[in-house]
PDB file of all heavy atoms in Angstrom:
ATOM      1  N   GLY A 226      22.038  18.844  38.878  1.00 97.00           N
ATOM      2  CA  GLY A 226      22.719  19.396  40.036  1.00 97.00           C
ATOM      3  C   GLY A 226      24.224  19.262  40.045  1.00 97.00           C
ATOM      4  O   GLY A 226      24.849  19.276  41.119  1.00 97.00           O
ATOM      5  N   ASP A 227      24.852  19.195  38.848  1.00 97.00           N
ATOM      6  CA  ASP A 227      26.303  19.043  38.803  1.00 97.00           C
ATOM      7  C   ASP A 227      27.039  20.371  38.699  1.00 97.00           C
ATOM      8  O   ASP A 227      28.258  20.400  38.556  1.00 97.00           O
ATOM      9  CB  ASP A 227      26.724  18.119  37.655  1.00 97.00           C
ATOM     10  CG  ASP A 227      26.382  18.682  36.276  1.00 97.00           C
ATOM     11  OD1 ASP A 227      25.717  19.751  36.216  1.00 97.00           O
ATOM     12  OD2 ASP A 227      26.763  18.059  35.265  1.00 97.00           O
ATOM     13  N   GLY A 228      26.291  21.481  38.747  1.00 97.00           N
ATOM     14  CA  GLY A 228      26.915  22.800  38.677  1.00 97.00           C
ATOM     15  C   GLY A 228      27.238  23.257  37.274  1.00 97.00           C
ATOM     16  O   GLY A 228      27.810  24.337  37.089  1.00 97.00           O
ATOM     17  N   LEU A 229      26.856  22.463  36.273  1.00 98.00           N
ATOM     18  CA  LEU A 229      27.122  22.790  34.872  1.00 98.00           C
ATOM     19  C   LEU A 229      25.850  22.613  34.064  1.00 98.00           C
ATOM     20  O   LEU A 229      25.017  21.759  34.385  1.00 98.00           O
ATOM     21  CB  LEU A 229      28.219  21.893  34.298  1.00 98.00           C
ATOM     22  CG  LEU A 229      29.578  21.919  34.994  1.00 98.00           C
ATOM     23  CD1 LEU A 229      30.453  20.784  34.456  1.00 98.00           C
ATOM     24  CD2 LEU A 229      30.269  23.263  34.786  1.00 98.00           C
ATOM     25  N   LEU A 230      25.709  23.391  33.015  1.00 98.00           N
ATOM     26  CA  LEU A 230      24.566  23.243  32.111  1.00 98.00           C
ATOM     27  C   LEU A 230      25.025  22.629  30.802  1.00 98.00           C
ATOM     28  O   LEU A 230      25.910  23.168  30.126  1.00 98.00           O
ATOM     29  CB  LEU A 230      23.910  24.603  31.839  1.00 98.00           C
ATOM     30  CG  LEU A 230      23.362  25.386  33.032  1.00 98.00           C
ATOM     31  CD1 LEU A 230      22.604  26.617  32.545  1.00 98.00           C
ATOM     32  CD2 LEU A 230      22.485  24.523  33.927  1.00 98.00           C
ATOM     33  N   ASN A 231      24.426  21.485  30.445  1.00 98.00           N
ATOM     34  CA  ASN A 231      24.650  20.933  29.110  1.00 98.00           C
ATOM     35  C   ASN A 231      23.745  21.654  28.128  1.00 98.00           C
ATOM     36  O   ASN A 231      23.010  22.570  28.512  1.00 98.00           O
ATOM     37  CB  ASN A 231      24.437  19.416  29.097  1.00 98.00           C
ATOM     38  CG  ASN A 231      23.028  19.019  29.540  1.00 98.00           C
ATOM     39  OD1 ASN A 231      22.062  19.751  29.304  1.00 98.00           O
ATOM     40  ND2 ASN A 231      22.907  17.877  30.203  1.00 98.00           N
ATOM     41  N   ILE A 232      23.745  21.244  26.879  1.00 97.00           N
ATOM     42  CA  ILE A 232      22.998  21.987  25.860  1.00 97.00           C
ATOM     43  C   ILE A 232      21.494  21.966  26.149  1.00 97.00           C
ATOM     44  O   ILE A 232      20.808  22.978  25.956  1.00 97.00           O
ATOM     45  CB  ILE A 232      23.291  21.444  24.437  1.00 97.00           C
ATOM     46  CG1 ILE A 232      22.614  22.315  23.373  1.00 97.00           C
ATOM     47  CG2 ILE A 232      22.899  19.989  24.309  1.00 97.00           C
ATOM     48  CD1 ILE A 232      23.103  23.737  23.314  1.00 97.00           C
ATOM     49  N   THR A 233      20.966  20.852  26.649  1.00 97.00           N
ATOM     50  CA  THR A 233      19.539  20.772  26.965  1.00 97.00           C
ATOM     51  C   THR A 233      19.196  21.684  28.134  1.00 97.00           C
ATOM     52  O   THR A 233      18.197  22.419  28.104  1.00 97.00           O
ATOM     53  CB  THR A 233      19.139  19.326  27.305  1.00 97.00           C
ATOM     54  OG1 THR A 233      19.419  18.481  26.180  1.00 97.00           O
ATOM     55  CG2 THR A 233      17.659  19.234  27.640  1.00 97.00           C
ATOM     56  N   GLU A 234      20.029  21.647  29.175  1.00 98.00           N
ATOM     57  CA  GLU A 234      19.790  22.497  30.346  1.00 98.00           C
ATOM     58  C   GLU A 234      19.966  23.971  30.000  1.00 98.00           C
ATOM     59  O   GLU A 234      19.215  24.821  30.495  1.00 98.00           O
ATOM     60  CB  GLU A 234      20.743  22.087  31.470  1.00 98.00           C
ATOM     61  CG  GLU A 234      20.461  20.704  32.036  1.00 98.00           C
ATOM     62  CD  GLU A 234      21.576  20.222  32.955  1.00 98.00           C
ATOM     63  OE1 GLU A 234      22.752  20.616  32.730  1.00 98.00           O
ATOM     64  OE2 GLU A 234      21.279  19.437  33.876  1.00 98.00           O
TER      65      GLU A 234
END
Side-chain angles (χ1 to χ4, degrees):
D227 64 354
L229 302 169
L230 300 187
N231 59 32
I232 186 63
T233 300
E234 293 169 330

